[in-house]
Amino acid sequence: SYPGGPPVLRDVDLTVEAGQKVAVVGATGSGKSTLVKLVTRLVDPDAGRVLLDEHDLRDLSLSSIRSRVVLVPQEGFLFDGTVAQNVAYGARPAQPGLEVPPEQVVSAFEELGLGDWLAALPDGIETDVGQRGERLSAGERQLVSLARAHLAGADLLVLDEATSAVDPATDVRIAGALDRLVAGRTTITVAHRLSTAEAADVVVVVEQGRIVQTGAHDDLVASDGPYAQMHAAWMSQTR
């Protein structure tokens, strides 16, 4: 629960295996975002524990958690500076005070298939993004956020549907970069679009603060439950 408020999540019991791609779905206000906040330790549970490799998150230093667990929000935040500075912020230099080499930043974009986009910027990685990234579109800001997450080298990626708030022109490019970003990593995605859930290994359905279904997309669609109803409604709207 949040201070002064009622319980937001109840009786949650969920295990995510290493390497799994998990999609969390549910109506607005169901508790999806709070679940993500617990995993990234933006909030702590009132009761129970959140474990990472059997270690309670509260027993780990925040710097340790931030180096292994990376959150990519729906709208990536950029600070006033260059593309290189914003991307390098996610890296962990071998020694404090060392700077991330420019070629390492460029490689992050290239490995995500974004080398051509980077090359088209006025000054490449030295392009000034402006305050809060105002000189870039919403989609372009997300591309920089994805490169930052890739350079961070996290084991666990937590994504708040990184393509749900971007311009259509950048949507396909982001989708391709995401495919490369999540390869070989454990991912938990708050899915606002069920196409994301279709591609996941495991779908977690949250309803009124409880996990009411967990399973593979095909199995949940075949069963008579909340996810099947949700998917049927979504399919009728996309035809």
Side-chain angles (χ1 to χ4, degrees):
S1 63
Y2 295 99
V8 178
L9 292 174
R10 307 171 186 84
D11 307 320
V12 171
D13 187 2
L14 176 67
T15 299
V16 176
E17 300 292 343
Q20 279 188 331
K21 294 176 176 57
V22 177
V24 182
V25 303
T28 300
S30 61
K32 303 187 303 297
S33 295
T34 301
L35 190 63
V36 163
K37 290 177 181 178
L38 287 169
V39 172
T40 54
R41 211 194 163 196
L42 293 176
V43 296
D44 286 330
D46 298 328
R49 299 182 300 163
V50 181
L51 306 179
L52 180 63
D53 285 343
E54 300 186 4
H55 295 281
D56 192 317
L57 288 186
R58 290 169 292 196
D59 295 334
L60 302 175
S61 67
L62 286 177
S63 61
S64 175
I65 296 171
R66 298 291 175 259
S67 69
R68 308 309 334 158
V69 181
V70 169
L71 170 66
V72 180
Q74 204 169 352
E75 296 185 29
F77 177 82
L78 302 185
F79 55 84
D80 192 5
T82 66
V83 169
Q85 289 170 330
N86 274 278
V87 172
Y89 184 77
R92 301 184 305 279
Q95 298 177 10
L98 289 181
E99 293 187 359
V100 177
E103 57 270 20
Q104 197 172 340
V105 175
V106 173
S107 292
F109 283 99
E110 292 177 341
E111 289 167 8
L112 294 179
L114 301 174
D116 59 335
W117 174 79
L118 180 65
L121 293 178
D123 298 306
I125 62 171
E126 295 305 318
T127 299
D128 193 332
V129 303
Q131 189 173 9
R132 300 181 68 89
E134 63 184 6
R135 295 181 182 175
L136 302 178
S137 69
E140 290 174 328
R141 290 194 294 272
Q142 200 64 300
L143 295 179
V144 176
S145 295
L146 295 180
R148 179 164 57 198
H150 183 55
L151 193 60
D155 299 312
L156 171 61
L157 279 171
V158 182
L159 309 169
D160 190 359
E161 189 71 284
T163 61
S164 64
V166 305
D167 42 289
T170 321
D171 195 0
V172 175
R173 192 186 293 274
I174 290 179
L178 273 172
D179 287 341
R180 293 177 174 88
L181 177 64
V182 303
R185 292 189 171 109
T186 309
T187 60
I188 300 175
T189 304
V190 175
H192 301 280
R193 299 184 296 190
L194 292 193
S195 56
T196 301
E198 289 178 335
D201 299 321
V202 177
V203 179
V204 175
V205 184
V206 183
E207 192 174 88
Q208 295 182 352
R210 288 184 167 88
I211 294 177
V212 295
Q213 280 187 302
T214 304
H217 163 77
D218 290 343
D219 294 338
L220 294 183
V221 168
S223 66
D224 183 17
Y227 184 76
Q229 298 169 12
M230 193 184 309
H231 189 263
W234 177 70
M235 289 295 292
S236 66
Q237 293 173 0
T238 56
R239 286 179 183 142

